Amino acid sequence: MNKLIIEGGVPLAGDVRVSGAKNAVLPIMAAALLADSPVTVENVPHLHDVTTTMELLGGMGVSLMVGDKMSIEVDPGTIDAYRAPYELVKTMRASILVLGPLLARHGRAEVSLPGGCAIGTRPVDVHLQGLEAMGAEIEVREGYIHARCSRLKGRRIVMDVVTVTGTENLMMAAALAEGTSVLENAAREPEVVDLARFLRAMGAEIEGEGTDTIVIHGVPHLSGTRYRVLPDRIETGTFLTAAAMTGGRVKTLATDPELLESVLLKLEQAGARVNTGADWIELDMRDRRPKAIDLRTAPYPAFPTDMQAQFMALNCVAEGTAHIIETVFENRFMHVQELMRMGADIQLEGHTAMVRGVDHLTGAPVMATDLRASASLILAGLVARGETRVDRIYHIDRGYEGIEEKLARLGARIRRIPA
Ligand code: EPU
């Protein structure tokens, strides 16, 4: 198993290009199943989760072709199986995103029920209830969701919790349903908006994406298109936080500041100077130590749970004490114990972490437990005295394209070694 070795203490400096968003490309590749002709997706990041999605679609008989300029062509016309096997779903929960498209387009699907996960129990009840309301017959047996339907019917669905992939699954299903669907209490994340735009490019009739009520008028067919996925706001935020922690100056390129308002506000409160243009963000924290920042995660447009671990790392070396409240996932504090092994002063009480900033962290061998936790350990390693070894970095490869190369170009002393 590969490890990352980091020698801390270098303020990051320079430009870094942001990749396409993981959490947009996964639903968009699944939505390609709805089309009658090939779809080309551009700005696809080179990530393990994308490879898993290709394996998942390829296993159903879908033809895939990797093109130049980070594009993938998905031809759903050759599909001959309607199953997402446990072996893939257990490695990537987002596999559940094929359920809505398979049902809407082919009237059948067998998808392994995702199990628990390091960050929480993460049920999919809202996905299933919504599809049942649209007329699907669903049975869970032997660990699989077995679903069947004739043409789905548009419905008004009030979702019990705000769920990103739940909203996406129902929106994809509703795109080919008969009649109008109204999704209430919908997720407003930019990746949901990107999926709606992609569906519209294929011929879907959707209004209200980006608000909590999405209206979808079902159409009988969707056709192939070419679509460029939006930039990864979490990757952007991770590099900016790294710059803030190390007292550096970094410009993120090919991104979109409008996707990160809550995060940029917090970075400014921490003392950073932030400048933005149409597709770039520059952060300057030279010669300054960050100030402690309280935060509370919640669905978009509030502070994202996917940036909580990175801000925890920042608070570990900030001036003052911060309270971090995680409201989205019940167990997303796995990085706390690892950060404490590096000298952080953190007290956990239920969903709240109290972080007292320390003068410095010390390098240590640490273990990544999930994607964003891995990012926080790398960030901590960048400021720690001495050497940090991050183990189990396959988590980071799921969601960050070439992270060590991008950080090394900003001056970080970081390298990957085979175990
Ligand atoms: N929930 C339910 N029932 C459901 C669905 C969700 O109770 O049927 C609960 C979850 O247990 C959780 C909350 O609702 O407590 C929100 O979960 P959500 O469904 O929104 O999460 P998700 O769709 O499974 C996506 C991202 C996550 C990100 C969350 C929250 C993708 C592929 N994944 O997950 O990304 O943390 O939304 O914003 O879009 C990551 O990139 O590191 C990551 C984990």
Side-chain angles (χ1 to χ4, degrees):
M1 229 179 275
N2 292 348
K3 283 186 174 56
L4 284 177
I5 312 287
I6 307 161
E7 286 272 349
V10 183
L12 298 187
D15 297 352
V16 60
R17 204 173 178 78
V18 172
S19 302
K22 167 179 86 79
N23 289 346
V25 81
L26 303 182
I28 284 173
M29 287 177 74
L33 289 172
L34 294 163
D36 287 346
S37 44
V39 162
T40 303
V41 190
E42 295 178 353
N43 200 26
V44 177
H46 187 61
L47 299 175
H48 200 255
D49 274 7
V50 170
T51 315
T52 307
T53 306
M54 292 176 74
E55 236 176 283
L56 177 66
L57 298 177
M60 295 182 199
V62 170
S63 311
L64 296 143
M65 215 167 66
V66 178
D68 56 355
K69 288 199 265 171
M70 296 170 290
S71 71
I72 296 184
E73 187 189 90
V74 184
D75 181 357
T78 51
I79 190 166
D80 58 11
Y82 309 90
R83 184 179 160 89
Y86 175 65
E87 292 65 39
L88 290 178
V89 179
K90 76 173 181 201
T91 67
M92 189 186 70
R93 303 177 54 85
S95 310
I96 188 77
L97 286 164
V98 299
L99 180 60
L102 284 177
L103 263 182
R105 177 76 178 79
H106 300 286
R108 56 203 255 205
E110 259 179 52
V111 177
S112 168
L113 192 65
C117 159
I119 63 178
T121 49
R122 302 182 77 181
V124 291
D125 52 323
V126 175
H127 306 229
L128 302 189
Q129 282 159 13
L131 293 169
E132 275 178 333
M134 294 168 83
E137 279 174 32
I138 295 181
E139 206 189 330
V140 177
R141 70 185 133 79
E142 289 149 2
Y144 277 76
I145 303 162
H146 297 261
R148 287 208 167 246
C149 64
S150 44
R151 190 166 177 207
L152 292 170
K153 304 260 184 312
R155 287 280 180 266
R156 176 169 179 270
I157 296 165
V158 183
M159 287 177 275
D160 282 350
V161 292
V162 180
T163 155
V164 175
T165 50
T167 303
E168 291 167 345
N169 239 335
L170 298 184
M171 190 164 67
M172 291 187 282
L176 281 184
E178 185 185 336
T180 297
S181 299
V182 181
L183 305 181
E184 304 271 12
N185 199 25
R188 292 180 283 168
E189 268 65 6
E191 293 75 21
V192 174
V193 174
D194 210 38
L195 173 64
R197 289 187 181 145
F198 170 70
L199 291 169
R200 206 178 288 127
M202 291 202 297
E205 291 181 18
I206 301 179
E207 298 149 33
E209 74 275 13
T211 75
D212 60 6
T213 304
I214 304 179
V215 180
I216 306 118
H217 306 287
V219 295
H221 301 285
L222 293 170
S223 27
T225 188
R226 181 174 269 276
Y227 191 81
R228 185 177 174 80
V229 295
L230 89 174
D232 198 310
R233 62 193 165 102
I234 306 301
E235 188 198 13
T236 307
T238 302
F239 281 114
L240 295 174
T241 309
M245 283 174 71
T246 57
R249 179 179 175 179
V250 165
K251 189 171 181 180
T252 51
L253 305 174
T255 187
D256 180 353
E258 286 185 7
L259 307 175
L260 280 125
E261 279 177 3
S262 59
V263 172
L264 297 183
L265 197 70
K266 291 289 176 195
L267 288 168
E268 281 176 335
Q269 284 170 8
R273 272 194 289 274
V274 177
N275 279 313
T276 61
D279 64 353
W280 56 266
I281 306 169
E282 186 174 50
L283 180 142
D284 188 352
M285 192 69 145
R286 282 173 300 174
D287 306 320
R288 267 163 304 141
R289 180 181 178 191
K291 293 195 274 284
I293 290 297
D294 289 336
L295 60 93
R296 183 175 183 277
T297 68
Y300 193 84
F303 190 88
T305 174
D306 291 344
M307 282 299 300
Q308 180 257 106
Q310 300 88 318
F311 266 68
M312 177 93 73
L314 178 136
N315 276 312
C316 286
V317 291
E319 190 185 327
T321 299
H323 291 86
I324 296 184
I325 307 173
E326 171 61 53
T327 76
V328 179
F329 291 111
E330 67 268 27
N331 191 28
R332 208 172 198 180
F333 280 140
M334 303 277 280
H335 39 287
V336 166
Q337 299 303 328
E338 298 301 301
L339 290 168
M340 285 171 68
R341 297 189 54 256
M342 298 176 72
D345 181 352
I346 308 171
Q347 249 175 302
L348 266 186
E349 214 179 288
H351 291 186
T352 304
M354 189 175 76
V355 190
R356 284 194 196 88
V358 294
D359 176 56
H360 67 271
L361 295 175
T362 317
V366 288
M367 203 163 69
T369 48
D370 69 75
L371 172 56
R372 308 304 170 187
S374 329
S376 81
L377 297 176
I378 294 176
L379 265 46
L382 292 174
V383 289
R385 288 189 187 162
E387 185 182 280
T388 298
R389 289 177 163 248
V390 187
D391 203 350
R392 299 208 179 159
I393 53 161
Y394 52 85
H395 291 292
I396 202 95
D397 295 329
R398 294 187 51 187
Y400 288 90
E401 182 172 42
I403 190 160
E404 73 272 24
E405 284 133 35
K406 289 188 180 187
L407 284 171
R409 258 181 261 136
L410 296 172
R413 287 178 297 211
I414 180 169
R415 68 199 153 89
R416 183 181 291 245
I417 53 157

